[in-house]
Structure formats: structure tokens, C-alpha cells
Amino acid sequence: MLYGEGLPSPLWWSYLSAPHRLAATAMPLSKDDVSGIETVAHYTHDEDQAYLMLYGEGVFETIPIEADYTVGDMKLWLNFHKGKDPAEYDLVGPKGCWKMGAGSEVLGDEVVISEVMGERFENKWLMQLSLFPKKKSEASGQWESTFETIEEWVPPPPEEAWDEEDDDEEKWKKDVEKSEADN
């Protein structure tokens, strides 16, 4: 794969750095593999290592990942380290390949994280997958997704994104009080 002016893609080099497999031939991680993946207490950008935040359902962890890690690998990590049953939640990430406003969708276990994160992985920017709970169907007894795919989102033009009421602190306080009373 060529990148730019005949230069290899930065992602290509990260495939070589994965110690145990390549993204093109991704093999699931074993329990021994995931047992060695430790969380990081305080994320800081690292030009040599990519990090993924797993967030939701009582989980808020950041772990190092390699180019060939899949969504299924993250579910195994969550099961091993957090006791999360993969049947009871979905992992949600970018729809298609990450870009600003890309939308979100449930990712299948076979999805290679570096491929959907694209430049976020290549540049070693912090990435995130979100855990969304499933609910058990009363009729079938099966766990069903509660997440609805979010299509691409384009922000409104600046003149439509703000109005004078946005600066009304009294209105804001009343809205907060109403919201708290409703809950």
C-alpha cells in the first residue's frame, strides 16, 4: 500500500510492529494475550503507541492497542478484566471510517479497530469505543441492541448554531431545575 508520493503508509509500519499477527490475517487474541494488556492511569499522547478508551456501562478505561486488534478482542478484554458478558452490550464506534461527524454504529466482532479509526490510529490519537447496553426481549429471551445507528452529522452554520437565549443564565438555571425535578 502506497501513501502519498510513493512512501509506505504509516499504518503499514504499525502492522509490522504488532508482535503476534497482522491486520490482514487477524487472529483473535487469547485470554493470555488480554491478561497482559494493562490500563493506563493517565493518558498522554505517545507517538509510538496507540491507545483506545473503552467507555460506558461502568467502564472507563484506556488501554494500549495494536494495528490488528479487533472489536472481538476488546470484548474478550472487557470480559477478562471487567467481567462484562459480551451478549449484554454492543461496542459502538465510527460509521465507516472515522472522520469528524462520521456517525456511529454497532461494530461487529471481526472489525479491525485500526481500519475504522483510520487517521486516528495512524497518528496515535486517543480513540474511543462506547459500550451500549442491550435489553433482554421478553418474547424471545434474547439480548437485543438498544443502539440506533447515527448517520453522518454536519454541524449547522454558525449563524444557526447560536441564539441570544444561549446567554440567558436565568433561563438556563430554570431549565436545570426543571430537568432535575423531572428525574
Side-chain angles (χ1 to χ4, degrees), residues 19-36:
H20 57 282
R21 60 202 173 113
L22 300 175
T25 58
M27 301 284 294
L29 291 176
S30 69
K31 283 188 179 182
D32 285 342
D33 293 329
V34 297
S35 71

Side-chain angles (χ1 to χ4, degrees), residues 41-149:
H42 304 286
Y43 167 79
T44 56
H45 180 76
D46 183 335
E47 291 182 11
D48 298 320
Q49 178 63 60
Y51 289 92
L52 177 72
M53 181 190 319
L54 297 165
Y55 179 73
E57 291 302 285
V59 174
F60 186 67
E61 301 291 354
T62 302
I63 61 173
I65 66 166
E66 300 298 335
D68 55 349
Y69 285 14
T70 65
V71 170
D73 294 334
M74 296 304 94
K75 288 182 176 181
L76 181 61
W77 187 92
L78 286 161
N79 182 262
F80 185 88
H81 289 277
K82 299 295 180 181
K84 293 288 185 187
D85 181 348
E88 297 178 8
Y89 67 90
D90 288 316
L91 278 177
V92 172
K95 185 172 182 181
C97 187
W98 183 89
K99 67 178 182 175
M100 188 63 76
S104 300
E105 66 185 350
V106 173
L107 301 176
D109 289 355
E110 71 289 346
V111 171
V112 178
I113 296 165
S114 64
E115 292 175 6
V116 296
M117 293 298 179
E119 70 174 302
R120 290 200 74 79
F121 183 88
E122 291 175 23
N123 293 313
K124 307 296 188 266
W125 297 334
L126 182 61
M127 299 162 280
Q128 177 181 328
L129 294 180
S130 300
L131 286 79
F132 271 80
K134 291 183 179 180
K135 67 177 181 181
K136 201 167 210 175
S137 166
E138 291 179 22
S140 69
Q142 299 294 315
W143 289 96
E144 297 176 347
S145 183
T146 61
F147 184 79
E148 294 183 23
T149 298

